[in-house]
Amino acid sequence: MTDAERVAALRRYQVLDTDPDPRFQAITNTAAIALDVPIALVTLVDESRQWFKARHGLDVCETEREISFCTHAIVSTEPFIVEDAASHPVFKNNPLVTGHPFIRFYAGIPLIDKQGAALGTFCIIDAQPRTLKDDELTMLFGFAQFAMTALTAHRQKIEMETDSSLRTGS
């Protein structure tokens, strides 16, 4: 799947730049507590940015795609884990590592729809290097599954509303 096809799939969800949603926020808040990290995010990656549908511990709503860790995570179906970004050859000079939020640890699970499009990630971030234990990785997969379920429910709601308005002519 090309990146353009992936972004088109993301756009069909009609979720970019939408209002906060308590379902997504509950996932990030719970993950931050359960995994003992300061930052947990539901990210969606379009052509030029990563946008946060939900965020715990981060004040910004988006960052440029070219500096995002999630851009690297969405190219695979496997977890993308950076245990110490400050010593990682790809990330050590990244402004998100050298400046706020001073990322040292990143773990992201791609949010993949039924057609195989990686819409973004569910990720956790820490300012300290760390290694995930097996049970923590299992929890991370679970939170990613919750996020993908919420995205699917959002898309189904939009489709039902569209179908309903077409039937009623409104």
Side-chain angles (χ1 to χ4, degrees), residues 82-101:
V82 178
E83 294 180 347
D84 185 358
S87 64
H88 193 283
V90 172
F91 297 108
K92 66 183 178 184
N93 296 318
N94 184 302
L96 300 173
V97 174
T98 60
H100 185 76

PDB file of all heavy atoms in Angstrom, residues 82-101:
ATOM      1  N   VAL A  82      11.886   2.174  20.744  1.00  0.00           N
ATOM      2  CA  VAL A  82      13.190   2.820  20.865  1.00  0.00           C
ATOM      3  C   VAL A  82      13.458   2.942  22.360  1.00  0.00           C
ATOM      4  O   VAL A  82      12.795   3.711  23.056  1.00  0.00           O
ATOM      5  CB  VAL A  82      13.199   4.206  20.192  1.00  0.00           C
ATOM      6  CG1 VAL A  82      14.549   4.887  20.381  1.00  0.00           C
ATOM      7  CG2 VAL A  82      12.853   4.090  18.713  1.00  0.00           C
ATOM      8  N   GLU A  83      14.402   2.156  22.850  1.00  0.00           N
ATOM      9  CA  GLU A  83      14.651   2.117  24.292  1.00  0.00           C
ATOM     10  C   GLU A  83      15.396   3.346  24.800  1.00  0.00           C
ATOM     11  O   GLU A  83      15.197   3.767  25.939  1.00  0.00           O
ATOM     12  CB  GLU A  83      15.394   0.841  24.667  1.00  0.00           C
ATOM     13  CG  GLU A  83      14.536  -0.393  24.442  1.00  0.00           C
ATOM     14  CD  GLU A  83      15.218  -1.689  24.797  1.00  0.00           C
ATOM     15  OE1 GLU A  83      16.465  -1.712  24.995  1.00  0.00           O
ATOM     16  OE2 GLU A  83      14.500  -2.713  24.898  1.00  0.00           O
ATOM     17  N   ASP A  84      16.284   3.906  23.972  1.00  0.00           N
ATOM     18  CA  ASP A  84      17.012   5.119  24.368  1.00  0.00           C
ATOM     19  C   ASP A  84      17.253   5.974  23.126  1.00  0.00           C
ATOM     20  O   ASP A  84      18.227   5.783  22.398  1.00  0.00           O
ATOM     21  CB  ASP A  84      18.332   4.777  25.054  1.00  0.00           C
ATOM     22  CG  ASP A  84      19.055   6.011  25.578  1.00  0.00           C
ATOM     23  OD1 ASP A  84      18.559   7.149  25.392  1.00  0.00           O
ATOM     24  OD2 ASP A  84      20.130   5.844  26.177  1.00  0.00           O
ATOM     25  N   ALA A  85      16.349   6.910  22.897  1.00  0.00           N
ATOM     26  CA  ALA A  85      16.415   7.744  21.696  1.00  0.00           C
ATOM     27  C   ALA A  85      17.677   8.597  21.650  1.00  0.00           C
ATOM     28  O   ALA A  85      18.169   8.913  20.567  1.00  0.00           O
ATOM     29  CB  ALA A  85      15.178   8.635  21.606  1.00  0.00           C
ATOM     30  N   ALA A  86      18.211   8.963  22.801  1.00  0.00           N
ATOM     31  CA  ALA A  86      19.411   9.816  22.829  1.00  0.00           C
ATOM     32  C   ALA A  86      20.631   9.102  22.259  1.00  0.00           C
ATOM     33  O   ALA A  86      21.570   9.760  21.803  1.00  0.00           O
ATOM     34  CB  ALA A  86      19.690  10.277  24.256  1.00  0.00           C
ATOM     35  N   SER A  87      20.632   7.790  22.249  1.00  0.00           N
ATOM     36  CA  SER A  87      21.759   7.054  21.669  1.00  0.00           C
ATOM     37  C   SER A  87      21.391   6.353  20.359  1.00  0.00           C
ATOM     38  O   SER A  87      22.211   5.657  19.785  1.00  0.00           O
ATOM     39  CB  SER A  87      22.294   6.033  22.682  1.00  0.00           C
ATOM     40  OG  SER A  87      21.318   5.060  22.959  1.00  0.00           O
ATOM     41  N   HIS A  88      20.175   6.557  19.887  1.00  0.00           N
ATOM     42  CA  HIS A  88      19.706   5.928  18.649  1.00  0.00           C
ATOM     43  C   HIS A  88      20.177   6.746  17.449  1.00  0.00           C
ATOM     44  O   HIS A  88      19.974   7.963  17.407  1.00  0.00           O
ATOM     45  CB  HIS A  88      18.175   5.842  18.673  1.00  0.00           C
ATOM     46  CG  HIS A  88      17.608   4.972  17.624  1.00  0.00           C
ATOM     47  ND1 HIS A  88      17.491   5.357  16.303  1.00  0.00           N
ATOM     48  CD2 HIS A  88      17.109   3.709  17.692  1.00  0.00           C
ATOM     49  CE1 HIS A  88      16.952   4.386  15.609  1.00  0.00           C
ATOM     50  NE2 HIS A  88      16.708   3.370  16.427  1.00  0.00           N
ATOM     51  N   PRO A  89      20.806   6.116  16.456  1.00  0.00           N
ATOM     52  CA  PRO A  89      21.362   6.879  15.321  1.00  0.00           C
ATOM     53  C   PRO A  89      20.323   7.700  14.548  1.00  0.00           C
ATOM     54  O   PRO A  89      20.642   8.776  14.052  1.00  0.00           O
ATOM     55  CB  PRO A  89      21.996   5.808  14.428  1.00  0.00           C
ATOM     56  CG  PRO A  89      21.502   4.495  14.925  1.00  0.00           C
ATOM     57  CD  PRO A  89      21.033   4.681  16.337  1.00  0.00           C
ATOM     58  N   VAL A  90      19.098   7.236  14.447  1.00  0.00           N
ATOM     59  CA  VAL A  90      18.065   7.963  13.703  1.00  0.00           C
ATOM     60  C   VAL A  90      17.489   9.116  14.525  1.00  0.00           C
ATOM     61  O   VAL A  90      17.140  10.159  13.980  1.00  0.00           O
ATOM     62  CB  VAL A  90      16.931   6.993  13.270  1.00  0.00           C
ATOM     63  CG1 VAL A  90      15.760   7.752  12.667  1.00  0.00           C
ATOM     64  CG2 VAL A  90      17.470   5.952  12.303  1.00  0.00           C
ATOM     65  N   PHE A  91      17.407   8.962  15.836  1.00  0.00           N
ATOM     66  CA  PHE A  91      16.669   9.914  16.667  1.00  0.00           C
ATOM     67  C   PHE A  91      17.507  10.818  17.567  1.00  0.00           C
ATOM     68  O   PHE A  91      16.985  11.785  18.103  1.00  0.00           O
ATOM     69  CB  PHE A  91      15.649   9.159  17.534  1.00  0.00           C
ATOM     70  CG  PHE A  91      14.616   8.450  16.733  1.00  0.00           C
ATOM     71  CD1 PHE A  91      14.621   7.068  16.639  1.00  0.00           C
ATOM     72  CD2 PHE A  91      13.643   9.154  16.035  1.00  0.00           C
ATOM     73  CE1 PHE A  91      13.670   6.404  15.877  1.00  0.00           C
ATOM     74  CE2 PHE A  91      12.700   8.510  15.273  1.00  0.00           C
ATOM     75  CZ  PHE A  91      12.714   7.121  15.193  1.00  0.00           C
ATOM     76  N   LYS A  92      18.791  10.542  17.724  1.00  0.00           N
ATOM     77  CA  LYS A  92      19.574  11.279  18.722  1.00  0.00           C
ATOM     78  C   LYS A  92      19.602  12.793  18.486  1.00  0.00           C
ATOM     79  O   LYS A  92      19.732  13.553  19.437  1.00  0.00           O
ATOM     80  CB  LYS A  92      20.982  10.715  18.837  1.00  0.00           C
ATOM     81  CG  LYS A  92      21.836  10.880  17.604  1.00  0.00           C
ATOM     82  CD  LYS A  92      23.179  10.222  17.810  1.00  0.00           C
ATOM     83  CE  LYS A  92      24.022  10.327  16.565  1.00  0.00           C
ATOM     84  NZ  LYS A  92      25.288   9.607  16.734  1.00  0.00           N
ATOM     85  N   ASN A  93      19.433  13.250  17.248  1.00  0.00           N
ATOM     86  CA  ASN A  93      19.416  14.692  16.960  1.00  0.00           C
ATOM     87  C   ASN A  93      18.010  15.242  16.702  1.00  0.00           C
ATOM     88  O   ASN A  93      17.857  16.397  16.314  1.00  0.00           O
ATOM     89  CB  ASN A  93      20.327  15.006  15.768  1.00  0.00           C
ATOM     90  CG  ASN A  93      21.771  14.691  16.076  1.00  0.00           C
ATOM     91  OD1 ASN A  93      22.260  14.980  17.161  1.00  0.00           O
ATOM     92  ND2 ASN A  93      22.455  14.062  15.133  1.00  0.00           N
ATOM     93  N   ASN A  94      17.004  14.421  16.925  1.00  0.00           N
ATOM     94  CA  ASN A  94      15.615  14.821  16.711  1.00  0.00           C
ATOM     95  C   ASN A  94      15.243  15.910  17.727  1.00  0.00           C
ATOM     96  O   ASN A  94      15.565  15.789  18.907  1.00  0.00           O
ATOM     97  CB  ASN A  94      14.715  13.587  16.894  1.00  0.00           C
ATOM     98  CG  ASN A  94      13.265  13.844  16.610  1.00  0.00           C
ATOM     99  OD1 ASN A  94      12.636  14.695  17.225  1.00  0.00           O
ATOM    100  ND2 ASN A  94      12.707  13.063  15.701  1.00  0.00           N
ATOM    101  N   PRO A  95      14.572  16.976  17.294  1.00  0.00           N
ATOM    102  CA  PRO A  95      14.208  18.044  18.234  1.00  0.00           C
ATOM    103  C   PRO A  95      13.288  17.587  19.365  1.00  0.00           C
ATOM    104  O   PRO A  95      13.249  18.234  20.417  1.00  0.00           O
ATOM    105  CB  PRO A  95      13.530  19.096  17.358  1.00  0.00           C
ATOM    106  CG  PRO A  95      13.248  18.452  16.061  1.00  0.00           C
ATOM    107  CD  PRO A  95      14.167  17.280  15.912  1.00  0.00           C
ATOM    108  N   LEU A  96      12.567  16.483  19.184  1.00  0.00           N
ATOM    109  CA  LEU A  96      11.737  15.960  20.268  1.00  0.00           C
ATOM    110  C   LEU A  96      12.569  15.183  21.296  1.00  0.00           C
ATOM    111  O   LEU A  96      12.090  14.887  22.386  1.00  0.00           O
ATOM    112  CB  LEU A  96      10.632  15.050  19.710  1.00  0.00           C
ATOM    113  CG  LEU A  96       9.664  15.709  18.731  1.00  0.00           C
ATOM    114  CD1 LEU A  96       8.727  14.677  18.122  1.00  0.00           C
ATOM    115  CD2 LEU A  96       8.891  16.823  19.415  1.00  0.00           C
ATOM    116  N   VAL A  97      13.806  14.893  20.934  1.00  0.00           N
ATOM    117  CA  VAL A  97      14.753  14.227  21.838  1.00  0.00           C
ATOM    118  C   VAL A  97      15.656  15.271  22.492  1.00  0.00           C
ATOM    119  O   VAL A  97      15.861  15.252  23.703  1.00  0.00           O
ATOM    120  CB  VAL A  97      15.592  13.174  21.076  1.00  0.00           C
ATOM    121  CG1 VAL A  97      16.678  12.576  21.959  1.00  0.00           C
ATOM    122  CG2 VAL A  97      14.673  12.086  20.515  1.00  0.00           C
ATOM    123  N   THR A  98      16.136  16.211  21.694  1.00  0.00           N
ATOM    124  CA  THR A  98      17.057  17.230  22.223  1.00  0.00           C
ATOM    125  C   THR A  98      16.330  18.362  22.940  1.00  0.00           C
ATOM    126  O   THR A  98      16.945  19.125  23.680  1.00  0.00           O
ATOM    127  CB  THR A  98      17.928  17.818  21.091  1.00  0.00           C
ATOM    128  OG1 THR A  98      17.071  18.427  20.111  1.00  0.00           O
ATOM    129  CG2 THR A  98      18.785  16.733  20.441  1.00  0.00           C
ATOM    130  N   GLY A  99      15.032  18.476  22.724  1.00  0.00           N
ATOM    131  CA  GLY A  99      14.204  19.497  23.367  1.00  0.00           C
ATOM    132  C   GLY A  99      12.916  18.879  23.885  1.00  0.00           C
ATOM    133  O   GLY A  99      12.739  17.652  23.856  1.00  0.00           O
ATOM    134  N   HIS A 100      12.026  19.742  24.344  1.00  0.00           N
ATOM    135  CA  HIS A 100      10.770  19.264  24.924  1.00  0.00           C
ATOM    136  C   HIS A 100      10.015  18.390  23.930  1.00  0.00           C
ATOM    137  O   HIS A 100       9.931  18.747  22.769  1.00  0.00           O
ATOM    138  CB  HIS A 100       9.898  20.474  25.323  1.00  0.00           C
ATOM    139  CG  HIS A 100       8.655  20.095  26.033  1.00  0.00           C
ATOM    140  ND1 HIS A 100       8.653  19.707  27.350  1.00  0.00           N
ATOM    141  CD2 HIS A 100       7.377  19.997  25.619  1.00  0.00           C
ATOM    142  CE1 HIS A 100       7.422  19.414  27.700  1.00  0.00           C
ATOM    143  NE2 HIS A 100       6.624  19.574  26.673  1.00  0.00           N
ATOM    144  N   PRO A 101       9.552  17.234  24.291  1.00  0.00           N
ATOM    145  CA  PRO A 101       9.403  16.648  25.626  1.00  0.00           C
ATOM    146  C   PRO A 101      10.560  15.755  26.069  1.00  0.00           C
ATOM    147  O   PRO A 101      10.413  14.961  26.990  1.00  0.00           O
ATOM    148  CB  PRO A 101       8.115  15.844  25.507  1.00  0.00           C
ATOM    149  CG  PRO A 101       8.121  15.350  24.100  1.00  0.00           C
ATOM    150  CD  PRO A 101       8.764  16.464  23.297  1.00  0.00           C
TER     151      PRO A 101
END
